[in-house]
Amino acid sequence: MADTQYILPNDIGVSSLDCREAFHLLSPTERLYAHHLSRAAWYGGLAVLLQTSPEAPYIYTLLSRLFRTQDPDQLRQHALAEGLTEEEYQAFLVYAAGVYSNMGNYKSFGDTKFVPNLPKEKLERVILGSEAAQQHPKEVRDLWQTCGELMFSLEPRLRHLGLGKEGITTYFSGDCTMEDAKLAQDFLDSQNLSAYNTRLFKDVDQEGKPRYEVRLASVLSTDPALDSELTSKLKSYEFQGSHFQVTRGDYAPLLQKVVDHLEKAKAYAANSHQEQMLAQYIESFTQGSIEAHKRGSRFWIQDKGPIVESYIGFVESYRDPFGSRGEFEGFVAMVNKAMSAKFERLVESAEQLLKELPWPPAFEKDKFLTPDFTSLDVLTFAGSGIPAGINIPNYDDLRQTEGFKNVSLGNVLAVAYATQREKLTFLEEEDKDLYTRWKGPSFDVQVGLHELLGHGSGKLFAQDEKGVFNFDQETVINPETGEQIQSWYRSGETWDSKFSTIASSYEECRAESVGLYLCLNPQVLEIFGFKGADAEDVIYVNWLNMVRAGLLALEFYTPEASNWRQAHMQARFVILRVLLEAGEGLVTVTPTTGSDGRPDARVRLDRSKIRSVGRPALERFLRRLQVLKSTGDVAGGRALYEGYAAVTDAPPECFLSLRDTVLLRKESRKLIVQPNTRLEGSEVQLLEYEASAAGLIRSFTERFPEDGPELEEVLTRLATADARFWKSPSEAQCGQA
């Protein structure tokens, strides 16, 4: 059997997302709006398969064929007859549920591959003897031959997502390196093109020179376009001695279905902001225009307090090894009025709270753009995973000048972050009851501060295309050096493009640090209903949770490549290092031996020193993070951040050794079963499923009842069209022959 870090255990937690009450409070029109937005999100979410690994679309298609023909109970009888044990069949169901839940065969949280926890030969018998194989023997056998080996392979390069020798990615063709990614980013910057909706494919011409295709996601390919500005960029270029071709049409059949349902949703929009937002999204996905998506995001920002909230597009860049390309994501949710009222009070206090952050006023936005901040119950979240909270849009220019929205996903928090005392690791016994009681409430506070005042704070010093600066070069002083500002963002440069591989983690670290720093404020805690001893317990558990998370983060560090696979967890490890460095016994991490005789560890936080030792240390660190970000000082930012993110076996913590302990005692992230909506006549019905691997599989089997076979054909066709980009030279030659 495979190493446990590359499998999903049979007893993995599975929870169903409950949004029944919020859904039933919607009007018939609001339900229709939510339904069509959900359909758009689910169709677009299938593009994540093509953004993850070469084999992911084939694995999904194979599973889809199996379970569309026989449900999990029916297939179980066949599997047992083929000689599988109950445990082996359950392992297969968990694997299939994992593929659906992560939209691919790599974990969305950690980017680690997972493989079936049963013998390949047994799974082959189940697949080739299934009803699906009897009905379509050639198709099913071809699918198995295409993805069977890769499904189980754990050769070193395939264990993690990454670029070049560091891992596998389908944002770039297999022969691309980090140098290619940097060259492509420089090219995109030179043409004022965003990388968010692109992939990069590299070929070699007859003279052995590299040729690059930058492919935009869109419905249209070579057809005439209404957006003449974008059309003019669809051509060949010579750049720094290399040939670039800008094309479009990536994921076209899937995006066509997205557009179809966005068009239908427009008929049920609540106001003109929603209508114009959807019109711009439609143009963006049709044309391949990020500028149109930005325009849609502007209308989205202006749509304050909607009953049905949604966002869709190529959003988060966590899984691009270079840090610039967005994964497709779409969510639809309904407002939770009770928690939203608390967040609204936090928004009302935001301008005052921003003044408490440890950087000069010149490093803060010229004007705080009051955002929407709501707690939502999720109906649909399509993509590779569901976060606890969101601060979007991610476009720097919009965030700086027009604003953003904050979203806390209440029903996700309720199931994904629930804590059972008996499963708690790495804590002192006397902390466990307190932690269990206050983990949820403290996380509400942290998410609120993280999203609103973490991601929502700070100014980027920039010079526009006309040479105009958004800060006074004569008077603004760098508080770290005492000198005038020496660096800034030039026209076309963004936070992601400039800081690239560390951008996501650095920003998450800054936001987490803001949350820890401001949760010490009594005004914040009163907003959430905490005073006196309860408030002190919330603070303690929030800080304790962060240092424990920093230790748990070691699971997502790869010693062989000396890199991190998950931005949020790297950020939490960095904060742990900062607080350890503060000294005076504020935080200690002590290796021990557990009651089972195996290695263990304990994290201790001295609550009496949080304000006297922890706060000053966090203040210094947070100021440095912001100053380096504001000034676009990549060299300084990398030196600071990568220094803290380094994992060594230096005493007293010996983090490399502790990593083995973390892996030994890790608990797998829960799988979440989401509902479906179905249109019956003019009414929308909510379809819910049991909290099990089989329930999660059924939710996907029923997700595309009208066009499941068509989608399977689309996914395999799109994957096959680009398969040569991930074959070895010898495989490519065989394929050409």
Side-chain angles (χ1 to χ4, degrees):
M1 292 293 104
D3 187 316
T4 56
Q5 66 177 306
Y6 301 112
I7 61 169
L8 303 178
N10 278 12
D11 63 350
I12 192 169
V14 184
S15 297
S16 290
L17 208 55
D18 182 8
C19 64
R20 187 183 311 121
E21 182 179 352
F23 180 80
H24 288 314
L25 289 174
L26 297 180
S27 70
T29 300
E30 289 164 348
R31 290 185 194 181
L32 285 162
Y33 183 65
H35 168 73
H36 288 296
L37 289 175
S38 292
R39 300 309 299 155
W42 286 125
Y43 281 119
L46 295 174
V48 177
L49 294 161
L50 296 154
Q51 294 181 298
T52 299
S53 70
E55 68 274 13
Y58 300 106
I59 295 173
Y60 175 94
T61 297
L62 181 59
L63 295 173
S64 181
R65 281 183 175 255
L66 286 176
F67 292 113
R68 192 161 41 76
T69 310
Q70 293 172 281
D71 75 15
D73 290 340
Q74 294 170 330
L75 193 63
R76 174 178 172 274
Q77 300 304 317
H78 163 61
L80 298 182
E82 289 288 353
L84 270 69
T85 65
E86 290 279 6
E87 292 74 20
E88 287 169 337
Y89 183 63
Q90 178 63 19
F92 174 53
L93 290 185
V94 166
Y95 175 78
V99 170
Y100 287 135
S101 185
N102 292 277
M103 268 293 100
N105 55 332
Y106 286 76
K107 296 175 187 175
S108 64
F109 204 81
D111 297 341
T112 303
K113 188 174 185 177
F114 57 95
V115 300
N117 189 26
L118 72 158
K120 179 170 174 279
E121 302 74 30
K122 286 193 171 185
L123 181 55
E124 182 176 56
R125 288 207 301 272
V126 172
I127 290 170
L128 297 185
S130 67
E131 285 286 338
Q134 291 177 35
Q135 293 178 15
H136 302 282
K138 184 179 187 306
E139 290 89 337
V140 172
R141 182 172 291 276
D142 286 349
L143 283 168
W144 174 248
Q145 288 178 346
T146 301
C147 68
E149 288 294 331
L150 285 169
M151 185 188 290
F152 281 84
S153 177
L154 283 174
E155 71 169 84
R157 185 177 173 233
L158 301 182
R159 293 175 186 172
H160 310 289
L161 297 180
L163 189 55
K165 296 179 181 178
E166 304 301 325
I168 189 72
T169 177
T170 46
Y171 284 110
F172 299 87
S173 55
D175 55 353
C176 281
T177 64
M178 197 59 77
E179 289 71 30
D180 293 314
K182 179 66 170 67
L183 176 66
Q185 187 63 58
D186 290 343
F187 164 72
L188 289 167
D189 289 345
S190 75
Q191 298 302 317
N192 202 27
L193 278 169
S194 171
Y196 269 120
N197 66 340
T198 70
R199 290 198 289 169
L200 184 70
F201 298 89
K202 179 183 176 183
D203 253 334
V204 178
D205 64 19
Q206 294 179 340
E207 298 176 358
K209 294 181 179 179
R211 299 171 62 89
Y212 300 96
E213 178 195 359
V214 174
R215 190 187 303 167
L216 282 61
S218 68
V219 175
L220 296 178
S221 52
T222 57
D223 305 60
L226 300 175
D227 186 345
S228 58
E229 180 186 356
L230 182 61
T231 307
S232 68
K233 295 185 177 182
L234 300 173
K235 61 182 181 181
S236 298
Y237 301 80
E238 294 298 323
F239 180 78
Q240 295 185 10
S242 296
H243 179 83
F244 280 85
Q245 179 83 31
V246 178
T247 67
R248 65 180 175 186
D250 220 0
Y251 326 119
L254 299 176
L255 291 179
Q256 180 63 65
K257 290 180 177 289
V258 173
V259 165
D260 291 344
H261 279 280
L262 293 180
E263 287 281 9
K264 291 177 180 178
K266 272 176 64 180
Y268 306 105
N271 53 53
S272 62
H273 289 315
Q274 291 181 0
E275 291 174 0
Q276 293 175 90
M277 169 189 81
L278 293 175
Q280 293 298 329
Y281 289 165
I282 289 165
E283 181 176 347
S284 174
F285 298 139
T286 301
Q287 306 285 350
S289 169
I290 289 296
E291 289 303 315
H293 196 267
K294 283 185 179 180
R295 292 192 293 271
S297 297
R298 287 189 177 96
F299 289 117
W300 179 72
I301 292 167
Q302 294 165 27
D303 183 27
K304 302 289 187 182
I307 300 300
V308 177
E309 182 63 282
S310 69
Y311 196 71
I312 190 168
F314 296 89
V315 180
E316 301 292 357
S317 58
Y318 300 130
R319 297 182 97 187
D320 170 12
F322 189 72
S324 295
R325 287 152 190 81
E327 184 173 81
F328 193 94
E329 179 179 291
F331 79 84
V332 184
M334 295 81 67
V335 69
N336 178 315
K337 293 183 179 179
M339 183 57 79
S340 294
K342 296 179 181 179
F343 288 140
E344 186 56 38
R345 288 180 60 201
L346 188 65
V347 171
E348 291 168 1
S349 304
E351 288 192 78
Q352 187 61 40
L353 292 171
L354 283 170
K355 295 175 184 177
E356 295 193 16
L357 292 174
W359 48 78
F363 285 72
E364 194 47 72
K365 294 184 180 71
D366 300 331
K367 184 178 187 304
F368 180 70
L369 301 164
T370 305
D372 229 7
F373 197 169
T374 49
S375 177
L376 302 174
D377 285 344
V378 170
L379 170 66
T380 294
F381 206 111
S384 65
I386 313 178
I390 313 170
N391 177 285
I392 39 181
N394 286 336
Y395 305 120
D396 294 329
D397 48 352
L398 266 63
R399 295 169 65 83
Q400 294 287 313
T401 60
E402 301 192 39
F404 50 89
K405 283 188 184 181
N406 298 277
V407 171
S408 176
L409 305 179
N411 60 341
V412 176
L413 285 168
V415 297
Y417 296 92
T419 303
Q420 295 176 283
R421 189 188 193 283
E422 60 272 19
K423 290 191 175 184
L424 279 177
T425 54
F426 307 126
L427 290 179
E428 300 285 357
E429 281 299 316
E430 59 265 30
D431 280 334
K432 288 185 177 179
D433 289 334
L434 203 65
Y435 186 92
T436 303
R437 179 181 177 187
W438 293 108
K439 165 76 183 300
S442 72
F443 204 67
D444 284 337
V445 174
Q446 179 67 12
V447 168
L449 294 171
H450 173 118
E451 300 296 348
L452 175 65
L453 298 166
H455 291 313
S457 64
K459 179 174 182 173
L460 301 185
F461 296 148
Q463 181 183 27
D464 66 20
E465 65 277 2
K466 297 178 181 177
V468 178
F469 290 88
N470 69 346
F471 66 100
D472 189 330
Q473 287 182 284
E474 299 298 322
T475 62
V476 177
I477 300 298
N478 184 324
E480 296 294 307
T481 65
E483 300 173 351
Q484 292 178 329
I485 303 303
Q486 303 295 316
S487 57
W488 50 83
Y489 295 80
R490 265 69 176 184
S491 176
E493 291 182 332
T494 67
W495 163 250
D496 281 332
S497 69
K498 204 166 172 63
F499 280 72
S500 65
T501 54
I502 67 166
S504 293
S505 183
Y506 189 112
E507 174 59 10
E508 291 303 324
C509 186
R510 197 183 68 87
E512 292 281 42
S513 299
V514 166
L516 285 185
Y517 188 76
L518 290 179
C519 84
L520 297 169
N521 185 301
Q523 179 186 357
V524 168
L525 295 167
E526 285 184 23
I527 287 171
F528 285 89
F530 306 120
K531 295 181 180 180
D534 285 354
E536 291 303 309
D537 285 344
V538 167
I539 291 169
Y540 175 62
V541 169
N542 195 29
W543 280 61
L544 180 63
N545 181 53
M546 189 62 68
V547 296
R548 177 176 180 262
L551 179 62
L552 295 175
L554 288 167
E555 175 191 343
F556 302 95
Y557 178 76
T558 306
E560 299 82 5
S562 299
N563 67 10
W564 286 88
R565 306 187 309 277
Q566 218 289 330
H568 295 78
M569 299 309 279
Q570 181 182 7
R572 292 165 188 169
F573 177 78
V574 167
I575 292 173
L576 170 61
R577 289 284 308 276
V578 169
L579 298 180
L580 281 166
E581 190 181 84
E584 299 187 41
L586 172 69
V587 174
T588 54
V589 181
T590 309
T592 63
T593 301
S595 58
D596 57 4
R598 299 188 299 172
D600 205 344
R602 292 289 179 270
V603 171
R604 184 188 294 274
L605 170 68
D606 187 336
R607 66 189 298 168
S608 70
K609 295 178 180 176
I610 290 175
R611 286 183 173 85
S612 61
V613 179
R615 187 180 187 278
L618 198 61
E619 183 175 289
R620 290 189 298 271
F621 176 65
L622 192 46
R623 180 167 51 245
R624 293 178 70 192
L625 283 179
Q626 183 56 52
V627 167
L628 293 164
K629 179 180 179 180
S630 288
T631 58
D633 184 350
V634 178
R638 282 192 175 277
L640 172 70
Y641 198 71
E642 291 175 346
Y644 278 112
V647 180
T648 71
D649 233 6
E653 289 81 23
C654 305
F655 282 119
L656 275 178
S657 297
L658 277 173
R659 179 179 178 273
D660 295 333
T661 303
V662 170
L663 289 175
L664 180 69
R665 298 190 176 274
K666 76 183 181 73
E667 183 182 356
S668 294
R669 194 171 176 84
K670 287 181 182 177
L671 304 179
I672 296 181
V673 184
Q674 298 187 55
N676 283 319
T677 55
R678 178 172 297 169
L679 190 58
E680 296 182 1
S682 60
E683 294 187 359
V684 179
Q685 303 297 324
L686 183 71
L687 307 180
E688 299 173 285
Y689 303 88
E690 67 178 19
S692 67
L696 200 157
I697 290 167
R698 288 189 180 98
S699 74
F700 269 87
T701 304
E702 296 183 8
R703 192 145 287 155
F704 306 106
E706 305 90 358
D707 51 6
E710 177 193 346
L711 292 170
E712 294 160 12
E713 187 277 328
V714 164
L715 286 167
T716 54
R717 173 161 49 84
L718 294 178
T720 301
D722 292 324
R724 64 187 179 89
F725 288 110
W726 291 281
K727 289 181 178 177
S728 65
S730 59
E731 288 178 307
Q733 289 171 4
C734 291
Q736 289 166 1

